[in-house]
Amino acid sequence: NAVCTRRAQLGRKTMLATLAALLFIFSCFYRAVNIADEGAATCRGAPTAFNAPVSGRFVATVGEVALIVQTAQYVDATAARLGVTDTLVQHHLARLTSLPFSTLAPGIVAEAMSWTGVLSANSRFYCAEYVLWMVIAAVWAWDYSELLHRSTRTGDVLTHATLLAGSVSLFAFNAFFEIPHFFAYERDDDGTGGNTATTTTFVATSGVWECMQDADSPLWLKRLPFFVCYFVGASWVSLTLAYRLVRGTHLHADEHDGSGGGGASAKKQQ
């Protein structure tokens, strides 16, 4: 009965993580097909309901929350398999929240900041979102470093080293590329003194439901590395995490059952 209960719990965890991975991969595919920048209410293709800022932000929210859930499930299950008991989530952040996923709280707040930026056309809210994603990236980097420290199999070492590098890259990207844009802001010389109240009102009412097409904007070339790393790289990482979690969970269950059986047979032999 204990073995069946344990396998059922592991099955639910892997099912949740796999579903989260599918949602994140779908969100990446959707946003890769409908290229747009929700913050600027600008799209590369013809305006449709699919590339409107509201649509893109909704799909991105679903995908990013799913990624946080999947990552939390992976860290929890892999830490149990490797015997890691000093993860930041388990021993430190768990004291600050009773939520099942410690990184879910800052993730939801980050998405709320992003939605506020889209609806109000105030880019300062995106700065707050990037800071929160830096917090999430720092938690991931801590946990993956602990997993890497206890990894012995080649697959675990490569996976956790890659995830650690990705977490550090996410932190650095937001800290040194995204956030400095807000400090490099310059007042416009159009006679308004940087006052864009009219534009802000327009974007907040019309631009939310329909984007402005600008296929020749330099924005797309500037954001190309981000699009490739996010839509292609992160989706493959999510798929790999799902595979590693399913494989590692079954391996851990087999080892646990085998160790129990081996102990019993050893006692009989003695």
Side-chain angles (χ1 to χ4, degrees), residues 198-239:
T198 304
T199 304
T200 299
T201 303
F202 172 77
V203 173
T205 55
S206 300
V208 167
W209 304 104
E210 184 179 9
C211 64
M212 276 191 314
Q213 182 180 10
D214 190 357
D216 299 326
S217 173
L219 174 66
W220 311 123
L221 183 60
K222 180 181 178 182
R223 302 290 287 175
L224 182 60
F226 170 77
F227 290 151
V228 173
C229 292
Y230 191 147
F231 301 152
V232 180
S235 59
W236 274 104
V237 168
S238 179
L239 179 63

Side-chain angles (χ1 to χ4, degrees), residues 75-214:
V75 170
D76 181 62
T78 307
R81 176 170 64 86
L82 298 178
V84 177
T85 58
D86 194 28
T87 63
L88 188 61
V89 170
Q90 291 177 338
H91 281 269
H92 300 281
L93 295 183
R95 299 178 183 178
L96 305 178
T97 176
S98 59
L99 292 174
F101 313 106
S102 299
T103 49
L104 188 59
I108 291 177
V109 177
E111 294 304 320
M113 293 295 100
S114 184
W115 272 102
T116 305
V118 170
L119 297 177
S120 66
N122 189 336
S123 62
R124 300 298 177 182
F125 288 101
Y126 297 114
C127 183
E129 177 196 7
Y130 298 147
V131 170
L132 288 167
W133 273 104
M134 288 172 61
V135 173
I136 296 173
V139 174
W140 286 349
W142 177 294
D143 289 344
Y144 289 137
S145 64
E146 292 293 334
L147 296 180
L148 177 61
H149 178 67
R150 296 295 296 271
S151 299
T152 56
R153 293 186 175 90
T154 302
D156 287 337
V157 172
L158 292 177
T159 299
H160 299 147
T162 302
L163 292 173
L164 175 59
S167 301
V168 173
S169 298
L170 176 61
F171 184 95
F173 174 78
N174 285 287
F176 302 114
F177 184 78
E178 293 283 21
I179 292 179
H181 290 168
F182 298 95
F183 296 97
Y185 173 77
E186 296 180 358
R187 296 172 66 91
D188 295 331
D189 295 327
D190 55 0
T192 63
N195 184 2
T196 57
T198 304
T199 304
T200 299
T201 303
F202 172 77
V203 173
T205 55
S206 300
V208 167
W209 304 104
E210 184 179 9
C211 64
M212 276 191 314
Q213 182 180 10
D214 190 357

Side-chain angles (χ1 to χ4, degrees), residues 18 70 238-248:
T18 302
Q70 181 194 14
S238 179
L239 179 63
T240 303
L241 272 184
Y243 168 75
R244 295 290 305 174
L245 178 60
V246 172
R247 185 176 183 277

